[in-house]
Amino acid sequence: MKKRTIICLTVSIMLLLQSVFVCQAATADTLDYSDFQSATRLLSVIGVTEGIDFDSQAENFVTRYEFALLLTRILGADVENYSSNTVFNDVSEEQYNIVAYIYDNKIMLGSGDGSFEPDRYITANEAFKTLVCVLGYDVKAYLNGNTMQSYVQLAKKIGLTDDITFHKDDRIQYKYVARILYNALKTNMFEQTLFGDSERYEETDERTVYQP
């Protein structure tokens, strides 16, 4: 029964990922509602939106903690049982496991003074950089200068910014986060395939960040 459930879930995800988006590129002011619904439908299927009403929060800005929460769900992380020795001076007990997991795995960084700024709104560039790291392309960004620009350029190259246009310091709303996460789920991972003295990293065909 479990195997059949996984197969059905996988087929559903594949069909949703094949949905065709017909609107023109969105800006920070517009996004076709059908795009938003398609993205949230996929995220709902894999459990990312559990407890979050994307429809009612579509215009609301997303905090760093909220973005971290969504990432742990996409990654399938067992944050409930996660333990860490990392100390933050601005993270609540409720937020701790999620923030610690994301921080310890170098997916999102703190501010360098013991704080994480969980309640600060995340910017578009920060979101793109984070997803570049999640997908494994931070290796390329590092070789290209390890600057915010190098991460954003890679985000554009691998399709994370498809159909969305942002200014670098734009705060990001739930409706755009839904589309960005949708784009990430369509993007192949960049993983190490050879180790030792002859390290090699390659884009892995048909392997995405979400694996049911």
Side-chain angles (χ1 to χ4, degrees):
M1 180 65 70
K2 182 178 180 181
K3 182 176 181 181
R4 182 177 179 183
T5 301
I6 292 174
I7 291 174
C8 291
L9 177 60
T10 304
V11 171
S12 298
I13 292 170
M14 290 175 64
L15 290 173
L16 285 169
L17 282 172
Q18 291 171 357
S19 298
V20 178
F21 288 82
V22 297
C23 75
Q24 296 179 344
T27 68
D29 299 314
T30 62
L31 182 68
D32 188 278
Y33 191 66
S34 63
D35 277 18
F36 173 64
Q37 286 187 314
S38 297
T40 54
R41 187 163 65 247
L42 169 62
L43 296 175
S44 176
V45 166
I46 64 176
V48 174
T49 64
E50 182 179 351
I52 304 172
D53 187 348
F54 269 65
D55 280 320
S56 65
Q57 297 200 57
E59 301 297 329
N60 293 345
F61 294 113
V62 178
T63 67
R64 282 167 53 82
Y65 167 74
E66 290 166 340
F67 194 72
L69 169 62
L70 295 173
L71 291 179
T72 59
R73 291 179 175 180
I74 283 180
L75 293 168
D78 182 14
V79 294
E80 184 176 350
N81 298 310
Y82 187 73
S83 61
S84 172
N85 294 320
T86 304
V87 177
F88 302 100
N89 58 31
D90 62 347
V91 174
S92 69
E93 183 177 349
E94 179 184 357
Q95 297 170 330
Y96 181 79
N97 282 19
I98 289 167
V99 172
Y101 179 90
I102 289 294
Y103 179 85
D104 290 347
N105 286 279
K106 297 180 172 57
I107 297 172
M108 293 175 68
L109 302 178
S111 301
D113 58 358
S115 64
F116 184 80
E117 298 183 287
D119 301 319
R120 176 172 65 77
Y121 295 126
I122 193 167
T123 66
N125 275 8
E126 287 176 324
F128 290 134
K129 178 182 178 180
T130 299
L131 286 170
V132 166
C133 293
V134 167
L135 293 165
Y137 290 87
D138 51 319
V139 177
K140 283 190 173 183
Y142 182 83
L143 294 175
N144 290 334
N146 198 32
T147 62
M148 180 61 81
Q149 184 179 5
S150 66
Y151 283 93
V152 174
Q153 287 176 342
L154 263 176
K156 293 178 180 179
K157 186 175 182 180
I158 64 179
L160 294 181
T161 66
D162 285 359
D163 298 310
I164 301 175
T165 302
F166 279 101
H167 297 297
K168 63 180 182 179
D169 295 322
D170 277 353
R171 294 175 296 175
I172 192 167
Q173 296 164 300
Y174 269 97
K175 60 184 179 181
Y176 302 115
V177 165
R179 179 59 203 236
I180 291 170
L181 294 179
Y182 176 93
N183 290 342
L185 288 166
K186 296 191 298 178
T187 304
N188 290 333
M189 297 285 290
F190 191 72
E191 298 181 314
Q192 188 170 2
T193 55
L194 282 180
F195 298 84
D197 295 334
S198 302
E199 290 185 355
R200 178 185 298 172
Y201 293 83
E202 295 178 320
E203 186 175 311
T204 53
D205 292 339
E206 300 181 0
R207 174 169 163 74
T208 63
V209 67
Y210 176 77
Q211 293 294 311

